[in-house]
Amino acid sequence: MVTMREVASLAGVSITTVSHVINETRPVAPGTRERVLEAIEETGYTGDAIARSLVTGGTKSLGLAVSLVSHPYFAELIAAIEGEATRAGYSLVLIDTRGDAESEQAAVRMLRSRRVDGVLLTPTSGSAALPELRRLEVPTVLVDRLTVAQDTDQVGPENVQATSTLVRHLAELGHRRIGLVSGTPGLATTDERVLGYRLGLGRAGLAWDESIVAPALDPLLGRVTGVVVGGHQVLVEVLRTARAHGVRIGSELALVTYDEVEWAELVDPPLTTMAQPVEEIGRTAVRLLLDRIGDPTRPPQTIRLPPTLLHRRSCGCH
């Protein structure tokens, strides 16, 4: 590994001067700074991020703990987060939580061992990592799955009003028996979308009927004319069930779904979806975290970004 001493020798300066250039701890004359930077480029010097963090108090890195298999849009979310972090001069350390609380806690502790300056977390149900991060006062932003508590910065999609809009859309088409295929139990997003479904029924003058809310389509067939799907996790199984029973989506059963999927326009009929502002969520999360790092005492913020209704033919419209 190239050392700082070798960089200093090549540039004809002291090790202290090289340190000041790298860590920006003291102004260095432009000509001297240029020689040091050229020496760094020529030697490929990368330095020791952990050692440098002991001097500067930070590693210029952010940690992201997220389940890499739980949502197809997470690839887009990660790209948005990394892009915004890079623009701000930070690197991103990504660790898979595998969607369970034990792995999540291990992932967060691994990030802490890497001395990241802050953590972006998509919490699991019953997260044990979040209380630990709060207790240790690690700058943290929750992404996508938000809590009702207002003591942590968090950013995600608006779920309640958006799901209400999906129900209202079906009601405006004349449907009076509108079922819900809910998402993964125990997640905050699932609970919020169920609440939005109930709100939409009330606004449409329709009664709440617990018997037409289910985690799968099977028990709803023959009992509803329209269905709201609570998320991508159950969407594929809903479509598979409809096909297995010979139910034609769009004509025999109107369908709308929360979450846009990349193949929504490729199926027949194309799917009416509520698309989350994934890129904006990622960028906003990074900005929130950098603000928290810069000012640890500022009041926490909760930001909910509205999804967009993408109207296609699965709802029965032509």
Side-chain angles (χ1 to χ4, degrees), residues 276-305:
Q276 301 188 45
V278 181
E279 186 171 344
E280 189 177 357
I281 289 172
R283 292 199 307 265
T284 302
V286 173
R287 290 195 291 265
L288 270 180
L289 185 55
L290 296 180
D291 287 347
R292 173 60 56 195
I293 293 169
D295 182 6
T297 63
R298 69 167 181 78
Q301 287 183 266
T302 293
I303 299 176
R304 292 184 178 273
L305 300 171

Side-chain angles (χ1 to χ4, degrees), residues 134-264:
R134 288 172 178 153
R135 177 171 52 82
L136 296 172
E137 298 183 346
V138 177
T140 302
V141 173
L142 304 185
V143 187
D144 185 66
R145 299 170 187 163
L146 311 189
T147 71
V148 294
Q150 301 296 307
D151 56 357
T152 305
D153 290 308
Q154 48 187 356
V155 57
E158 196 292 312
N159 290 301
V160 177
Q161 299 298 332
T163 308
S164 174
T165 296
L166 290 174
V167 176
R168 188 169 68 250
H169 181 64
L170 292 180
E172 288 172 350
L173 294 174
H175 295 279
R176 313 312 292 169
R177 294 286 290 174
I178 302 171
L180 172 68
V181 179
S182 54
T184 304
L187 294 181
T189 49
T190 298
D191 294 341
E192 289 173 0
R193 290 169 196 173
V194 172
L195 179 60
Y197 166 75
R198 296 190 67 164
L199 178 64
L201 292 177
R203 287 176 171 173
L206 303 177
W208 158 259
D209 181 352
E210 189 174 1
S211 71
I212 56 173
V213 177
L217 180 62
D218 298 78
L220 307 184
L221 291 176
R223 305 180 59 224
V224 300
T225 61
V227 64
V228 176
V229 179
H232 84 283
Q233 301 97 330
V234 290
L235 176 59
V236 172
E237 192 57 39
V238 164
L239 296 177
R240 183 178 289 119
T241 299
R243 174 173 292 184
H245 286 81
V247 175
R248 290 176 293 180
I249 299 295
S251 56
E252 297 177 329
L253 179 68
L255 182 148
V256 293
T257 181
Y258 198 106
D259 281 338
E260 170 73 343
V261 288
E262 62 181 8
W263 41 267

Side-chain angles (χ1 to χ4, degrees), residues 6-59:
E6 291 173 87
V7 173
S9 176
L10 183 61
V13 299
S14 68
I15 294 176
T16 301
T17 299
V18 175
S19 175
H20 288 322
V21 171
I22 293 172
N23 298 310
E24 299 181 350
T25 48
R26 184 180 297 173
V28 176
T32 303
R33 177 182 173 82
E34 185 63 28
R35 291 205 313 276
V36 171
L37 293 177
E38 288 176 355
I40 288 173
E41 183 174 355
E42 183 175 337
T43 60
Y45 176 75
T46 58
D48 186 335
I50 299 301
R52 189 158 58 246
S53 74
L54 298 176
V55 177
T56 65
T59 58

Side-chain angles (χ1 to χ4, degrees), residues 69-83:
V69 298
S70 66
H71 204 304
Y73 85 50
F74 278 169
E76 183 181 351
L77 180 67
I78 292 167
I81 288 172
E82 184 174 32

